Amino acid sequence: MTLSTDVTSLPEVPAKNPPCERAERRPLPVAAISAITVAVLVGLWALAAAYALVSPVFLPSPRQVVVAIYNLIVTGFVDATLAEHLGASLTRIFGALAASIAIGIPAGLAIGTSRIGRGILDPVVEFLRPLPPLAYLPLIIIWVGIGEASKITVIALSMLPSIILSTSAGVRGVSKDHVNAARSLGASRRQVLSDVVLPSAVPSILTGIRIALGAGWTTLVAAELVAATSGIGFMIQSAAQFLVTDVVIAGIVVIALVAILLETIARQIERRLVPWASHH
């Protein structure tokens, strides 16, 4: 007795893709897309400079900018090195940030927890929020003078609305169940504020600080226009007056890189302090 097997009747097993084909179908990471975009932009910039499509006075080549950054590090510009200019700017930024945090967090808590605080502070915040720093810079100079205090004040005023609004939003977003549970256990109003409301608002506060840092960097150049002798903004303005465009672009690149670095550090701090917030 013979058994015949019909090969055509067997079910077809789909062939597995080889590992190389599966790897090719993986989407390109966002970091790789960003790197390619930057490389293309720098390449177009280099081509425009190499073929003199734009005058070197207006657009120096990437090589000239890299050389300018090296010269700024080694010899400096307008009687200060790049480290000294950057140190002066960072001192103003962090001084303004400390002042805006010291004022903004209590103000945000008052807005978020009190009708009276909201009624008093809301008009002030809404008045400051849309104003560009250059609008009130002359008034700050009249009131405070042309020293470091005026620069820090202008930068701090640009940071304040972000911190106040984010703090008040974080306070209003606190779970009422948590507040009621604390009160049922005998917590006082102060204990509820310090042990429940404020810790719950920390993610929003940190987000506001990150936004405030960006606002401070955008205000830095305007603040350093007034009687400054050092700082990245002062260096850029001095170079622009003498049409030293490579130094101008080098200063802009440094500001962008430092801002990205500060943003990265702020995100890492946020992940360490409030790891649960990154999962929402």
Side-chain angles (χ1 to χ4, degrees), residues 8 24 49 73 77 90 95 101 167-168 175 186 189 191 195 229:
T8 59
E24 289 177 356
I73 295 172
F77 186 75
L90 288 176
I101 288 174
T167 302
S168 62
S175 173
R189 179 180 176 84
Q191 288 174 328
D195 297 339
T229 57

Side-chain angles (χ1 to χ4, degrees), residues 92 127-128 131-158 216 218-228 237:
R92 292 166 186 143
F127 176 77
L128 281 177
L131 283 180
L134 287 176
Y136 49 78
L137 179 59
L139 187 61
I140 297 300
I141 294 172
I142 295 173
W143 287 350
V144 185
I146 59 174
E148 289 296 315
S150 63
K151 301 173 184 58
I152 293 175
T153 301
V154 170
I155 298 172
L157 286 175
S158 69
T218 59
T219 311
L220 179 68
V221 176
E224 291 180 343
L225 286 174
V226 183
Q237 293 299 324

Side-chain angles (χ1 to χ4, degrees), residues 122-250:
D122 252 351
V124 179
V125 175
E126 292 303 322
F127 176 77
L128 281 177
R129 186 173 59 84
L131 283 180
L134 287 176
Y136 49 78
L137 179 59
L139 187 61
I140 297 300
I141 294 172
I142 295 173
W143 287 350
V144 185
I146 59 174
E148 289 296 315
S150 63
K151 301 173 184 58
I152 293 175
T153 301
V154 170
I155 298 172
L157 286 175
S158 69
M159 292 179 169
L160 261 179
S162 300
I163 296 178
I164 293 175
L165 293 175
S166 61
T167 302
S168 62
V171 169
R172 287 194 293 267
V174 174
S175 173
K176 292 183 178 179
D177 293 337
H178 294 169
V179 175
N180 293 331
R183 286 175 178 170
S184 66
L185 293 173
S188 63
R189 179 180 176 84
R190 182 176 179 180
Q191 288 174 328
V192 170
L193 183 63
S194 62
D195 297 339
V196 178
V197 175
L198 189 57
S200 299
V202 166
S204 295
I205 294 173
L206 292 177
T207 301
I209 291 174
R210 282 171 41 209
I211 298 172
L213 274 173
W217 273 112
T218 59
T219 311
L220 179 68
V221 176
E224 291 180 343
L225 286 174
V226 183
T229 57
S230 61
I232 295 293
F234 166 75
M235 182 189 75
I236 291 174
Q237 293 299 324
S238 300
Q241 291 176 358
F242 297 101
L243 293 179
V244 189
T245 315
D246 52 351
V247 174
V248 174
I249 297 177

